[in-house]
């Protein structure tokens, strides 16, 4: 089987779409499929990393004509330009069995046009905010409800809704961790980019908890790196990382996680890792609320509404 995945990464978009699709891609490859990625050359793209992992890659332009470079993550892409750019790369190639689109900016227009390269189209989604022309739709969130999608999907579309379909890496198919009566190790991560500087925000909130051992995994291009480095150098119990290859191991060793409401939510839930969650994008709000209602984490709301003092109080409540 031949599969093409269309997803992007950037400080605005985040790295979560590529991360979860990479999990799927590795499973498909393990089953004998040929998997390729088509991604734009946006700042922070993952094309080289995907290529180094052995996946065929197709590089799309960083910018399309008349496109606003500051547009919101949920804004529609100029779909015809994206299709035209794909055509330059894919026309003349062997057809794909599936194209999987994990992108808030692509809707039924793009999906219909993309059928020239594949008979079947799938969408990975979190929002239920636009029309879809797909054969399969996957939403792994508790907030992904069938009634929300009913008026947006074509007849005969199969839906995979809810966390039973969460795209978890194999290492998270494991027993839950033991929850200790008192927390001593904290892991902080707000995604691969953290454009909202929430790791630095968490550092300020944790400054008074001198007894805690804290790992901050901040992302290589974190905009507050210099300030965080200066803070970490004054705290012998703090370790600041731009990247770690053993993130799962660090999660199993942590007593508390402080992070965003993206794909890591399901990794934390699978481990039963106590978490203080802050939404760093609008698309994380609904699922953050529903997961909190289910008891999966403590949800503090949108980042704009969470002060250093409020986060400090929440940490104190959880660790003491």
């Amino acid at each position: 089987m031949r599969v093409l995945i269309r997803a992007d990464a950037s400080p605005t978009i985040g790295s979560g779409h590529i991360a979860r699709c990479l999990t799927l891609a590795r499973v498909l490859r393990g089953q004998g499929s040929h998997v390729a990625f088509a991604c734009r050359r946006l700042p922070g793209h993952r094309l080289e990393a995907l290529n180094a992992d052995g996946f065929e890659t197709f590089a799309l332009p960083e910018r399309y004509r008349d496109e606003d470079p500051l547009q919101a993550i949920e804004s529609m892409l100029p779909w015809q330009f994206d299709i035209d750019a794909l055509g330059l790369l894919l026309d003349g190639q062997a057809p794909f069995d599936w194209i999987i689109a994990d992108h808030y900016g692509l809707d039924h227009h793009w999906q219909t046009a993309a059928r020239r390269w594949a008979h079947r189209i799938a969408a990975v989604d979190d929002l239920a905010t636009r029309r879809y022309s797909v054969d399969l739709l996957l939403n792994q969130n508790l907030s992904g409800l069938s009634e929300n999608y009913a008026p947006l999907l074509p007849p005969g579309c199969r839906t995979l809704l809810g966390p039973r379909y969460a795209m978890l890496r194999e290492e998270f198919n494991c027993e839950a961790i033991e929850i200790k009566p008192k927390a001593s190790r904290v892991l902080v991560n707000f995604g691969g980019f953290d454009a909202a500087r929430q790791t630095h925000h968490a550092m300020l909130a944790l400054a008074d908890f001198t007894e805690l051992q804290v790992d901050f995994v901040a992302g290589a291009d974190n905009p507050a790196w210099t300030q965080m480095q200066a803070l970490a150098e004054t705290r012998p119990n703090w370790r600041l990382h731009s990247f770690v290859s053993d993130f799962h191991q660090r999660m199993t060793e942590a007593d508390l996680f402080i992070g965003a409401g993206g794909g890591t939510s399901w990794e934390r839930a699978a481990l039963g890792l106590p978490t203080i969650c802050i939404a760093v994008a609008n698309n994380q709000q609904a699922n953050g609320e529903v997961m909190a209602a289910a008891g999966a984490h403590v949800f503090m709301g949108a980042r704009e509404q969470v002060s250093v003092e409020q986060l400090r109080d929440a940490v104190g409540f959880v660790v003491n």
Side-chain angles (χ1 to χ4, degrees):
M1 186 168 68
R2 286 172 51 81
V3 178
L4 176 68
I5 295 174
R6 174 71 184 91
D8 287 327
S10 75
T12 300
I13 295 170
S15 58
H17 299 276
I18 293 290
R20 65 187 181 186
C21 285
L22 183 56
T23 298
L24 175 61
R26 286 171 174 160
V27 171
L28 290 171
R29 182 171 62 184
Q31 295 175 347
S33 297
H34 174 84
V35 184
F37 283 81
C39 313
R40 296 177 72 180
R41 284 196 172 277
L42 299 167
H45 66 78
R46 295 292 190 256
L47 284 159
E48 281 82 7
L50 291 168
N51 200 255
D53 205 350
F55 293 102
E56 183 180 16
T57 56
F58 298 98
L60 297 167
E62 175 183 350
R63 199 67 59 210
Y64 293 130
R65 194 179 71 207
D66 301 327
E67 184 181 19
D68 179 4
L70 300 177
Q71 67 184 13
I73 184 176
E74 296 170 21
S75 300
M76 290 295 108
L77 288 189
W79 66 270
Q80 188 63 63
F81 288 125
D82 201 75
I83 287 292
D84 291 345
L86 267 176
L88 295 175
L89 300 170
L90 299 183
D91 286 347
Q93 297 236 356
F96 291 94
D97 296 285
W98 283 92
I99 291 178
I100 302 171
D102 187 349
H103 205 299
Y104 299 149
L106 302 175
D107 65 1
H108 65 104
H109 295 293
W110 186 94
Q111 293 152 359
T112 299
R115 290 186 184 275
R116 64 198 261 192
W117 302 296
H119 293 301
R120 289 172 289 186
I121 308 291
V124 179
D125 187 55
D126 308 296
L127 299 175
T129 55
R130 59 204 187 277
R131 285 177 56 202
Y132 307 84
S133 177
V134 294
D135 305 283
L136 175 70
L137 183 136
L138 187 155
N139 183 327
Q140 64 185 3
N141 301 293
L142 281 169
S143 56
L145 304 176
S146 58
E147 54 263 36
N148 295 337
Y149 281 107
L152 304 174
L153 295 173
C157 176
R158 184 181 180 190
T159 56
L160 305 177
L161 304 178
R164 67 179 295 189
Y165 300 107
M167 290 182 282
L168 288 170
R169 288 175 286 157
E170 182 62 33
E171 56 262 40
F172 289 96
N173 183 18
C174 61
E175 296 294 323
I177 64 171
E178 178 185 354
I179 298 177
K180 299 174 185 174
K182 185 175 176 63
S184 62
R185 296 183 64 90
V186 180
L187 180 60
V188 179
N189 173 253
F190 282 89
F193 290 103
D194 187 21
R197 300 171 180 254
Q198 290 300 292
T199 309
H200 181 244
H201 193 80
M203 273 191 169
L204 299 176
L206 288 162
D208 293 338
F209 297 91
T210 55
E211 75 283 4
L212 293 176
Q213 300 278 338
V214 189
D215 281 289
F216 300 90
V217 183
D221 300 313
N222 193 292
W225 182 263
T226 302
Q227 300 98 303
M228 291 191 298
Q229 204 167 31
L231 277 172
E233 287 172 356
T234 68
R235 300 292 196 282
N237 290 345
W238 286 8
R239 291 161 299 277
L240 175 61
H241 315 270
S242 61
F243 171 79
V244 294
S245 58
D246 58 345
F247 194 65
H248 168 263
Q249 182 65 30
R250 291 176 189 271
M251 290 178 74
T252 63
E253 295 171 352
D255 307 315
L256 173 66
F257 192 107
I258 302 174
T264 312
S265 297
W266 301 115
E267 297 175 352
R268 301 185 307 243
L271 290 176
L273 177 56
T275 296
I276 296 174
C277 178
I278 298 171
V280 299
N282 291 338
N283 56 70
Q284 297 179 2
Q285 183 74 28
N287 200 58
E289 293 171 353
V290 177
M291 289 188 72
H297 59 211
V298 174
F299 183 59
M300 300 197 67
R303 62 179 176 84
E304 299 88 352
Q305 302 167 349
V306 183
S307 67
V308 170
E309 292 73 22
Q310 288 171 318
L311 181 54
R312 182 185 299 125
D313 289 345
V315 172
F317 178 78
V318 172
V319 302
N320 294 323

